Amino acid sequence: SEQAMQNFESFKKHHFPRIQKVALPFRRGKVMANFRLPENASPSKPVPAILIFQGNDSVKEFMVYVEDVALRHGLATLTVDQPGFGESGMTGNYLDSEQAVALCVRSSISYLQHHNSVDHNAIGAFGFSFGGFTSLYSAGLSERIKAVSSIGAPVRLRRAFSDIPYLMKQRTFQWSGFQSDAEIDHMLHKMDVPSAIQNIKSPAYIVHGLADDVVSVNEGKLARK
């Protein structure tokens, strides 16, 4: 909401390293992201960077604590609201196809590739849950992702959608722009996630909890294969 964004703007003024909002190109609206650099980064001393993707019921602002860990280890961070999520969704876009995911990923990678304080040969990706899917997908899509990690990521998206709780299904309707289970099932059916994951050439670290009651641990086992 607008009030939440105002509160986060106030928080940004007192949190370091500073949080820079960036707008990435998309076919409709913009993909909004928060970019941060460790204090020692400079064009003469570029640093590795990590793309961070949020989960189904989250937004980029919730990922500050993940960014802080990465920054302490000398990594720049680009935390992305995927199309339909958070500020990205507020610009009028939706994550309504595999092409939308791919465009979001390419725009995010391109931003890091053109930043003069980022080591262009050391970009990774990380995400929770649905963001974990996006991080794995990004590594399968682009060899520019040199390492990837996910926590609780679904691989069989149609099955994951059918199993998630009611409120999380409502969030899926919001970010996809669709009105029915059938429309979402059709979209997810066309997302060839296993093939994308099979294309991953970088090291991948897959974490999945046995007690995960939203996304089955079997999804983690499939991703590992």
Side-chain angles (χ1 to χ4, degrees):
S1 69
E2 185 176 336
Q3 183 62 54
M5 293 310 305
Q6 290 175 358
N7 292 339
F8 188 74
E9 288 299 315
S10 298
F11 165 79
K12 283 168 58 176
K13 296 176 183 178
H14 305 284
H15 197 72
F16 299 94
R18 77 183 187 94
I19 302 170
Q20 175 189 350
K21 184 185 295 187
V22 298
L24 309 175
F26 197 70
R27 64 190 183 197
R28 178 181 178 185
K30 300 288 184 181
V31 167
M32 305 303 296
N34 288 334
F35 178 69
R36 300 175 71 187
L37 280 170
E39 294 179 356
N40 65 333
S42 69
S44 63
K45 190 178 180 181
V47 297
I50 183 168
L51 283 169
I52 301 172
F53 297 102
Q54 85 294 336
N56 185 61
D57 56 352
S58 184
V59 291
K60 65 183 182 303
E61 288 76 18
F62 292 171
M63 299 293 105
V64 168
Y65 72 99
V66 177
E67 298 167 3
D68 288 344
V69 173
L71 288 157
R72 287 198 296 270
H73 287 81
L75 279 72
T77 62
L78 183 67
T79 305
V80 181
D81 271 337
Q82 301 176 70
F85 288 78
E87 279 193 291
S88 293
M90 292 167 67
T91 71
N93 56 34
Y94 294 105
L95 198 160
D96 54 7
S97 65
E98 187 171 15
Q99 290 73 28
V101 183
L103 181 55
C104 171
V105 167
R106 289 193 176 103
S107 290
S108 303
I109 293 173
S110 178
Y111 178 83
L112 294 176
Q113 285 277 310
H114 289 89
H115 199 289
N116 60 9
S117 292
V118 169
D119 182 345
H120 303 160
N121 295 311
I123 296 174
F126 169 78
F128 294 96
S129 191
F130 189 79
F133 147 71
T134 309
S135 66
L136 292 171
Y137 182 86
S138 68
L141 180 70
S142 175
E143 293 185 7
R144 293 177 177 176
I145 300 297
K146 302 302 182 183
V148 61
S149 180
S150 69
I151 297 179
V155 175
R156 294 171 296 184
L157 295 181
R158 297 170 71 196
R159 179 165 183 171
F161 173 73
S162 68
D163 292 342
I164 60 176
Y166 173 80
L167 289 179
M168 293 187 74
K169 281 194 175 185
Q170 297 310 301
R171 281 288 299 122
T172 306
F173 291 134
Q174 291 173 12
W175 55 251
S176 68
F178 294 129
Q179 303 296 318
S180 69
D181 286 12
E183 288 177 301
I184 291 177
D185 182 78
H186 180 69
M187 172 190 70
L188 298 179
H189 176 67
K190 298 179 73 173
M191 287 189 177
D192 193 4
V193 183
S195 292
I197 291 177
Q198 288 175 7
N199 288 333
I200 295 175
K201 296 181 173 60
S202 63
Y205 185 54
I206 310 296
V207 179
H208 211 113
L210 291 172
D212 191 328
D213 59 359
V214 176
V215 179
S216 167
V217 69
N218 291 328
E219 299 297 296
K221 293 176 180 178
L222 284 172
R224 184 185 63 187
K225 293 179 181 180

